[in-house]
Amino acid sequence: MTLTYIFHSCFVLETEKSILIFDYWLDLNGIVPPFLKKDKHLYVFSSHFHEDHFNSVIFEWRKRHENITYILSKDIYKHRRANKEDADVWLAKGGTWSDDRIYVKALGSTDSGVSWIVETEGKRIFHAGDLNNWYARFLPEVVAGETIYSEEFDEEIDPIAHEKQYLGELKDIRKITDSFDVVMFPIDGRIGNGYTLGGRQFIERFKVGMFVPMHFVASGFESSWRMKEFTDEKGFPFWEIKKEGETIEI
């Protein structure tokens, strides 16, 4: 298998029999079109409705590829970003779908939508969507049971409750499995101090064949490499992505 980084949280996983595209937003370097020309079944995943994870242009790919299956989070439909007939499969947390090539299970998120477990050709893949400990930097300054105002988010937030929710989602995932061949996970320097905490808490609970950072566009490629120190401690391989279109063998 090969994994290709497209942009932000979008990756293309190509296997012997199929091509899987996760969370397409933008393709500034024209990396995706050659994949659409290949004679393999295409699966398109969108984890939630936010514009940096879902772009309705994906539905135009039907014109260029006959064998295509759209697997989308139900929140995309609920927020009226797509019509019900646009997707072949709509999943919320706990939902599953399979055919003779892949098995898909939707897990939870600490934002909107879902995260994905995909099993195909003997590999187990995890794409986190927006599952993360997003408010980690606020944890040292908040008192249990109280909220803190964030100018950045323009709202009162409860970092402790949010972290509890995140760890709860990880617990739910562990009920399914404790290991993955590939994990694509947000390592986003924009969220400030502790931006690797969610990733560190993930690798403390799961065996990982390859840890792949994502969601780092605004803070830069090198910001995501900070996570390598922690994956090295665990003995997990880490992909230091350096550019769009870069590919790695799984």
Side-chain angles (χ1 to χ4, degrees):
M1 295 184 185
T2 60
L3 187 66
T4 302
Y5 172 66
I6 306 303
F7 188 76
H8 197 56
S9 297
C10 180
F11 294 85
V12 176
L13 178 70
E14 182 172 7
T15 75
E16 181 180 349
K17 299 177 181 178
S18 58
I19 296 171
L20 289 66
I21 302 180
F22 295 92
D23 280 18
Y24 180 90
W25 174 27
L26 298 173
D27 179 15
L28 304 178
N29 295 285
I31 304 160
V32 170
F35 287 103
L36 304 180
K37 296 178 182 179
K38 296 191 177 186
D39 187 24
K40 293 183 179 181
H41 196 99
L42 181 65
Y43 299 91
V44 182
F45 295 81
S46 295
S47 64
H48 61 289
F49 78 98
H50 293 166
E51 66 175 8
D52 61 332
H53 290 260
F54 168 77
N55 187 335
S56 60
V57 73
I58 62 176
F59 301 127
E60 298 179 9
W61 296 346
R62 284 195 183 99
K63 302 173 184 176
R64 289 181 275 174
H65 201 290
E66 293 183 358
N67 300 315
I68 187 167
T69 301
Y70 292 92
I71 305 170
L72 273 57
S73 167
K74 283 186 176 180
D75 76 305
I76 296 171
Y77 172 65
K78 290 178 180 178
H79 284 85
R80 301 182 180 180
R81 295 293 310 281
N83 298 316
K84 198 165 187 178
E85 62 271 18
D86 287 332
D88 302 282
V89 183
W90 293 101
L91 293 178
K93 179 181 178 180
T96 63
W97 180 84
S98 64
D99 63 7
D100 59 349
R101 285 174 290 266
I102 70 170
Y103 168 84
V104 181
K105 187 171 182 67
L107 279 300
S109 177
T110 44
D111 200 334
S112 190
V114 301
S115 52
W116 302 112
I117 292 177
V118 181
E119 296 181 8
T120 183
E121 297 179 32
K123 301 292 186 184
R124 184 181 297 122
I125 314 298
F126 183 75
H127 188 286
D130 261 355
L131 174 68
N132 198 2
N133 191 344
W134 290 110
Y135 303 143
R137 70 179 171 132
F138 298 106
L139 288 170
E141 55 189 281
V142 70
V143 177
E146 296 183 3
T147 60
I148 186 170
Y149 178 71
S150 167
E151 292 185 2
E152 179 182 1
F153 297 102
D154 190 27
E155 63 178 332
E156 293 285 335
I157 59 177
D158 186 341
I160 295 176
H162 183 82
E163 180 178 60
K164 184 177 180 181
Q165 179 194 1
Y166 172 65
L167 298 179
E169 297 294 352
L170 297 189
K171 186 175 181 180
D172 288 344
I173 297 170
R174 271 192 62 94
K175 293 175 183 177
I176 308 300
T177 182
D178 66 352
S179 64
F180 296 98
D181 293 286
V182 182
V183 168
M184 291 162 272
F185 194 93
I187 303 295
D188 190 337
R190 294 176 304 168
I191 64 177
N193 291 337
Y195 71 93
T196 62
L197 181 60
R200 285 181 276 143
Q201 290 169 325
F202 190 95
I203 65 174
E204 286 171 0
R205 291 161 174 78
F206 298 92
K207 299 173 185 176
V208 179
M210 172 69 69
F211 191 98
V212 180
M214 65 181 190
H215 213 283
F216 51 74
V217 164
S219 54
F221 290 95
E222 292 186 9
S223 68
S224 70
W225 302 349
R226 177 75 176 86
M227 187 66 195
K228 186 176 186 300
E229 172 188 341
F230 306 107
T231 57
D232 283 351
E233 289 177 359
K234 290 287 186 180
F236 299 156
F238 179 87
W239 186 13
E240 292 185 5
I241 303 173
K242 298 178 177 65
K243 63 180 180 178
E244 288 88 4
E246 189 172 347
T247 296
I248 193 168
E249 295 284 337
I250 304 300

